[in-house]
Amino acid sequence: MEQIKVFLDESEMPRQWYNIQADLPTPLRPPLHPATGQPIKPEDLAPVFPMNLIEQEVSTERWIPIPEPVLEKYALWRPTPLYRARGLEKALGTPAKIYYKNEGVSPPGSHKPNTAVAQAYYNKVFGIKRLSTETGAGQWGSALSMACQMFGLQCRVFMVKVSYNQKPYRRSMMETWGAECIPSPSDRTQAGRKILAQNPDSPGSLGIAISEAIEDAVGDPEARYSLGSVLNHVLLHQTIIGLEAQKQLEKLGVYPDVVMGCAGGGSNFAGLCLPFVRDKIHGKNVTIVAAEPTSCPTLTKGPFRYDFGDTAMTTPLLAMHTLGHDFVPAPIHAGGLRYHGMAPIVSHLLEEKLIEARAFDQLETFTAGVQWARAEGFIPAPETNHAIAAVVQEALRAKEEGKEKVILFNWSGHGYVDMAAYDAFLSGKLTRYELPEEEIRRALASTEAFPKP
């Protein structure tokens, strides 16, 4: 029988996270204080995050030890298996060898707990009682809800309203783990009330939900804010995916030609790819591709600028690819990929030409997702379908060229609570959508006055 899976023993699980900042050819542009235009100081972030996570955010140490209590929680589902997608290879008739990390085996069904557990732990030891956060598709909100329950913290989640209505079972998951889930924009915060006054039918956005969660957190001295993507320490925690994959591929004696992941804020993509970016910086020949929606084409069409991370302009200015902080994306089903900006680290890597980006329409991604489910069994999350669309494109290119490429990608989560999206696709209700150029120009006008990186 042909080998399908590669496991690591729990004793082989990485004991350190990898910090790409130690190996970057040029340093990241610093976050700026919006009032002064000067680089922010750690104390500026103290009302929002605990100092132990702020220290990780600015650290340039190459390796950061993973605390033992975090490893104990990781061991519930990690190390995750590395799979060979032989079914898809046969369906495509490609000579490419397709491998994927299955992050859908975690309790909430995605990669998000890798940082949720870490953030809950660091807030707990810092003395914080409650975390406030936002969520798009619900993967992050459910992951943090579980992590807070594990460490005895309260959790409040502002969920983008369109996803709140599209995905009621994600809300049920959060509530099962003891969290409070609120549709955003809401009347709980000044930021939410302002949006509702302008547009009572606003579908919400991650930028709006972030504003609400930050406002909620800084108004309570026993609470802090928690973010599921974008920030340096979030990407750091996710590198355990790529570090495990490297060990598993070593057992097979293969190294990937192409590494891929879907990208919204950048966390699952970076989690798999950053250890391979390090290899590329040090001479390896590997292509690294981020796959994003044509409806929210941050990397492929958004310029590299300083911009706010939220709609109410309460965060520091971040140097990133952006569609503008007041951008409200179309209500597509890949809710986790509808953020206006991209992680500063991922944006920096694109500027350095260490990675590339491709955009895919939702009909293309769901076609790939259904093809995957019929070939491999597992039903992917709508976000993950973007990575699969990129993999299919690359595997068919290998077929045309007659090359036995090795493709590795991150299967970032399952879609078992996203079946309404599949139903819409299978019944022909989804349409092709590409963000119009005039909408991009309008959104970007809001960043014209900000400093340029």
Side-chain angles (χ1 to χ4, degrees), residues 270-291:
L272 177 67
C273 296
L274 291 185
F276 294 94
V277 174
R278 179 191 181 213
D279 290 350
K280 185 167 185 171
I281 291 170
H282 295 291
K284 276 282 190 183
N285 183 19
V286 55
T287 300
I288 300 169
V289 181

Side-chain angles (χ1 to χ4, degrees), residues 153-170:
L153 297 173
Q154 298 173 44
C155 184
R156 180 174 294 162
V157 183
F158 291 87
M159 186 172 188
V160 176
K161 186 181 292 180
V162 63
S163 294
Y164 184 92
N165 294 328
Q166 284 175 343
K167 303 181 179 183
Y169 296 121
R170 276 287 172 193

Side-chain angles (χ1 to χ4, degrees), residues 221-372:
E222 294 192 329
R224 288 293 185 277
Y225 169 66
S226 181
L227 185 63
S229 191
V230 178
L231 297 176
N232 300 343
H233 67 270
V234 179
L235 275 55
L236 171 82
H237 301 153
Q238 293 292 354
T239 58
I240 193 167
I241 303 171
L243 295 170
E244 284 182 3
Q246 288 185 324
K247 287 188 175 189
Q248 289 161 314
L249 289 172
E250 283 172 13
K251 287 178 182 281
L252 296 171
V254 299
Y255 190 87
D257 298 293
V258 186
V259 181
M260 301 178 135
C262 62
S267 73
N268 97 83
F269 168 72
L272 177 67
C273 296
L274 291 185
F276 294 94
V277 174
R278 179 191 181 213
D279 290 350
K280 185 167 185 171
I281 291 170
H282 295 291
K284 276 282 190 183
N285 183 19
V286 55
T287 300
I288 300 169
V289 181
E292 65 179 10
T294 54
S295 58
C296 191
T298 315
L299 285 168
T300 50
K301 292 195 174 179
F304 185 57
R305 288 185 177 177
Y306 269 106
D307 194 9
F308 287 101
D310 71 323
T311 303
M313 301 186 288
T314 58
T315 70
L317 289 166
L318 303 174
M320 60 183 179
H321 281 270
T322 178
L323 296 170
H325 58 271
D326 60 354
F327 173 71
V328 177
I332 63 165
H333 283 277
L337 304 184
R338 299 192 303 127
Y339 182 59
H340 70 272
M342 183 55 65
I345 285 177
V346 174
S347 297
H348 187 82
L349 296 178
L350 187 68
E351 290 301 294
E352 293 283 338
K353 303 189 187 318
L354 289 166
I355 65 169
E356 59 185 83
R358 300 173 193 169
F360 296 89
D361 179 81
Q362 63 177 350
L363 293 184
E364 197 174 2
T365 63
F366 273 97
T367 299
V370 169
Q371 184 174 28
W372 174 273

Side-chain angles (χ1 to χ4, degrees), residues 99 376 386:
Y99 295 93
E376 293 292 328
H386 292 70

